[in-house]
Amino acid sequence: MNQAQQNLLQAAAEAAELAYAPYSRFRVGAAVLTPGGVFSGANIETASTNLGICAERAALTHARMRGEQEIIGIAVSCPDARPHEDGSVDEYGAMPCGACRQWLAELAPSAWVVASSSEKVYQLDDLLPLAFKLHMYNSS
C-alpha cells in the first residue's frame, strides 16, 4: 500500500467516527480519491433497515455532487470489525457490500480499493468479477 492509499484509509477511518449506526453498531467510513480531492462518507442507519446508506455510496455521492466523475481510488474503514481470537482480522470484514460493488462498477470501474482489514490493494474485478452492465438496445 502506498502513501496515498494509506492517507485515504486514514480519511476513511476519520469518516467512520461520524457514522450513525445505533442498530448494527458497525461503523463504516469511506473516502474516495478524485483529481479534485478526497470525498468521504459514513454509513447512516435508520430503524427501517433497508433505508440506510453505506459509507461507500455516501462517499461516491459526495464526490458526484461536487462534480467529480473520475474516481481514482476508494478506502473503507470498519473500526468495529471484530478480530479473531488470534488478533487477526478477516480480510473480508471491511470489504464493500454487493450493492456498493455495483455502484463502484458503474461509477468507479477503474478505481483501486483498499480496506482497513487488509494490506492488499484490490481492483474492482477482484471484488466483482462479471459485474452487471445494463446494455440498452435500440428497439427499432
Side-chain angles (χ1 to χ4, degrees):
M1 195 176 310
N2 66 33
Q3 190 62 49
Q5 292 161 339
Q6 291 175 357
N7 291 345
L8 197 63
L9 196 51
Q10 179 58 41
E14 292 169 8
E17 296 302 319
L18 299 173
Y20 177 71
Y23 306 102
S24 71
R25 291 181 171 49
F26 193 80
R27 298 168 296 157
V28 181
V32 296
L33 176 63
T34 72
V38 173
F39 298 87
S40 61
N43 61 319
I44 306 295
E45 299 176 349
T46 68
S48 181
T49 307
N50 60 350
L51 292 181
I53 187 167
C54 295
E56 299 91 330
R57 288 183 275 158
L60 288 166
T61 300
H62 185 189
R64 291 291 293 201
M65 294 306 297
R66 297 290 189 261
E68 296 296 331
Q69 295 185 24
E70 180 187 350
I71 306 298
I72 298 167
I74 184 164
V76 182
S77 177
C78 301
D80 301 319
R82 296 181 189 236
H84 297 289
E85 289 182 18
D86 66 1
S88 66
V89 178
D90 183 354
E91 91 177 273
Y92 301 106
M95 288 293 140
C97 72
C100 289
R101 292 175 194 210
Q102 183 62 35
W103 272 52
L104 289 168
E106 294 190 33
L107 300 175
S110 60
W112 43 259
V113 179
V114 294
S116 60
S117 62
S118 177
E119 291 293 320
K120 295 179 186 176
V121 178
Y122 298 90
Q123 294 300 313
L124 183 63
D125 285 344
D126 299 325
L127 302 178
L128 186 63
L130 302 172
F132 173 78
K133 293 180 181 151
L134 180 62
H135 297 283
M136 303 301 285
Y137 297 99
N138 186 348
S139 60
S140 55

